[in-house]
Amino acid sequence: MGNWHMIGKLLTTQYWLVAWALLLPGILGPARVEASEPDSAPAQRGPNIVLINADDLGWKDVGYQGTDFYETPRIDQLAREGMAFSNAYANAGNCAPSRACLMTGFYTPRHAVYAVGDTNRGPAERMILRPVPNELPLKPRFVTMAEALRQAGYATGQFGKWHLGDANSGTSPLDQGFDVSRDWPQRGSGVAEDPKSVDAITDAAIEFIQDHREEPFFCYVAHHAIHTGLQGRAETLERFRAKERGEQHKAPLYAACLFDLDAAVGRLVDEIDRLELGERTIIVFVSDNGATPQSSQEPLRGAKGAYYEGGIRIPFIVRWPGRVEAGTQCDEPVIQTDLLPTFLGLAQVDARDVGFIDTPLDGTDLQPLLQGETLPEPRSIYWHFPGYLDRPVPRGRDSVLRTAPVSVVRRGPWKLFLYHEEWLLEGGRDGVPTNDAVELYHLGNDPGERENLAATEVETREALLEDLLGWFEQTDAQLPGLKDAGTGESR
């Protein structure tokens, strides 16, 4: 009996130990449980980011903007599934400066990448001023979008055109923050089935996404299409040769090159959805500048290389299922430099923590617009090209040049041009009422920039001119000088 008594006592003791173990957390509170939660809770992460950058794709070239010959069903679908920006801009009229602004989040005066090659691309007798020298490649001291996102915990991949440097100068994509980088020649791979390398670039991007689908990734897909030389698959070219021409757009090879690009964009989006990454992935589709003169952008004026709307207004689409309402349009002016602060905001990263300490980013976080709201305050956006580009554009200012040295500001519907030749030679600000240094347009009423209102809308002209001159000081913008002044920094 004694043994059974002892066993019963032990069982009773164990019962109470178990009971106390169950009751104590409720009595003492949840402190122990909460203390262990940080170790087991999943880490916060921003969305995956896919940035698709087309080359020389004009605002009017895509179906959702009303082309009457080209076909872009997958880009149009992207617009239907997300938000299309009707007043979106490249930061420059041609490739390299636009890409430098996109990657750094800074306007051209800060990094001094103004052109492809030189800023004196014009007949010597026509270049009245001394252009500000171009600084290409992009200097390694600038923190790029890839470097910032990699510091924020993103895997980073770049596929296609870089155009900002190479390994020899320590400025290749791998030097500037990308974990993986692959490219093919601009004129295509030479493969008949993929003459412009749109599939090769897309295949590499898809492989990167598949490899990194379990972690946040930044995938930069920079196509060579539809930059010259134009190339298209044989069957695609036949499709458009057999199609009735439009009133505005008529070129089968241009249409074929664009159609192949469009199909590649669709294939990338399809793979993101197949991997069930759609709701965790924000896709941004842009172009690096406006179209070349071979594709009319009417009602917009000008083309690539000019700073009229046809040279800088671009397709700009954001797709993020569940976060950005499908089928919406935003008319707020936006620009490529807005993308870096937007991406950092989505990643919940302070720009100062990833290298932007001395100079704040020039763009604005677009998240309020993506949610159907407005930006916190009105703002201006700017362009600065202190050089010359040869070959005229449709309805350009000059019969020889795409542009002479010019700076531009847009605020609300108003857009002001300051042409530096007339500014320096014809009296500066005092001469504005009578010289041709300033052009002013109301884009809401006149998107084709046909009616110069500088002489009649004096108050608006002076306010925007003051805004632009202040911006020169803020960015320490170098201005072109007279050839006999001995410096390119004269004001």
Side-chain angles (χ1 to χ4, degrees), residues 46-358:
N48 305 317
I49 298 168
V50 175
L51 174 58
I52 305 171
N53 197 8
D55 198 338
D56 293 358
L57 179 65
W59 179 81
K60 189 69 173 181
D61 289 346
V62 289
Y64 74 90
Q65 288 295 153
T67 176
D68 60 1
F69 182 63
Y70 312 144
E71 298 176 18
T72 56
R74 299 310 306 270
I75 295 171
D76 300 343
Q77 181 180 342
L78 202 64
R80 289 193 301 272
E81 294 176 352
M83 178 178 286
F85 289 81
S86 61
N87 286 276
Y89 291 98
N91 277 94
N94 56 351
C95 303
S98 166
R99 292 163 193 268
C101 295
L102 176 69
M103 280 293 118
T104 64
F106 290 137
Y107 284 121
T108 53
R110 299 202 194 274
H111 53 67
V113 178
Y114 296 114
V116 178
D118 295 326
T119 49
N120 60 349
R121 292 169 56 183
E125 68 279 4
R126 178 61 188 81
M127 294 187 292
I128 299 171
L129 302 183
R130 184 192 305 274
V132 175
N134 195 40
E135 294 189 17
L136 192 66
L138 178 68
K139 298 297 182 288
R141 70 176 181 273
F142 290 100
V143 177
T144 68
M145 183 180 288
E147 289 172 313
L149 288 171
R150 186 161 70 178
Q151 290 185 69
Y154 280 69
T156 56
Q158 181 269 340
F159 308 98
K161 183 172 180 176
W162 177 237
H163 215 45
L164 295 176
D166 54 35
N168 293 331
S169 58
T171 55
S172 74
L174 296 177
D175 297 315
Q176 296 280 55
F178 286 100
D179 302 319
V180 180
S181 174
R182 292 191 66 188
D183 193 10
W184 287 261
Q186 178 168 292
R187 290 187 176 269
S189 60
V191 178
E193 294 77 18
D194 186 23
K196 200 67 174 174
S197 299
V198 292
D199 282 333
I201 290 169
T202 301
D203 288 342
I206 285 175
E207 181 181 357
F208 172 81
I209 290 171
Q210 291 171 340
D211 290 344
H212 297 279
R213 58 183 167 179
E214 300 300 330
E215 59 183 316
F217 60 77
F218 167 50
C219 183
Y220 177 44
V221 186
H223 285 285
H224 294 291
I226 53 176
H227 193 289
T228 52
L230 295 173
Q231 294 171 293
R233 296 188 182 93
E235 62 271 22
T236 312
L237 183 55
E238 284 306 309
R239 173 193 183 99
F240 289 99
R241 282 176 173 165
K243 183 178 179 179
E244 183 179 354
R245 307 297 190 267
E247 288 296 317
Q248 180 171 12
H249 296 146
K250 310 173 187 295
L253 183 55
Y254 194 99
C257 189
L258 175 53
F259 189 80
D260 290 346
L261 168 66
D262 180 81
V265 170
R267 207 157 59 79
L268 181 64
V269 175
D270 286 346
E271 181 63 15
I272 289 168
D273 290 343
R274 188 191 71 80
L275 295 170
E276 299 183 347
L277 296 174
E279 293 186 359
R280 286 196 284 134
T281 303
I282 184 169
I283 299 174
V284 179
F285 178 87
V286 295
S287 176
D288 65 345
N289 46 249
T292 60
Q294 61 193 316
S295 181
S296 166
Q297 297 301 297
E298 292 289 350
L300 305 186
R301 179 180 181 181
K304 174 182 177 178
Y307 286 78
Y308 294 111
E309 293 291 284
I312 54 175
R313 198 186 289 203
I314 57 172
F316 191 122
I317 302 168
V318 176
R319 178 209 193 234
W320 191 6
R323 300 296 185 93
V324 174
E325 185 177 354
T328 52
Q329 177 176 299
C330 181
D331 299 325
E332 179 76 19
V334 299
I335 194 164
Q336 289 168 326
T337 40
D338 294 331
L339 287 176
L340 181 46
T342 301
F343 292 163
L344 293 181
L346 290 169
Q348 302 177 51
V349 173
D350 190 311
R352 292 168 295 184
D353 294 336
V354 289
F356 299 100
I357 299 171
D358 298 327

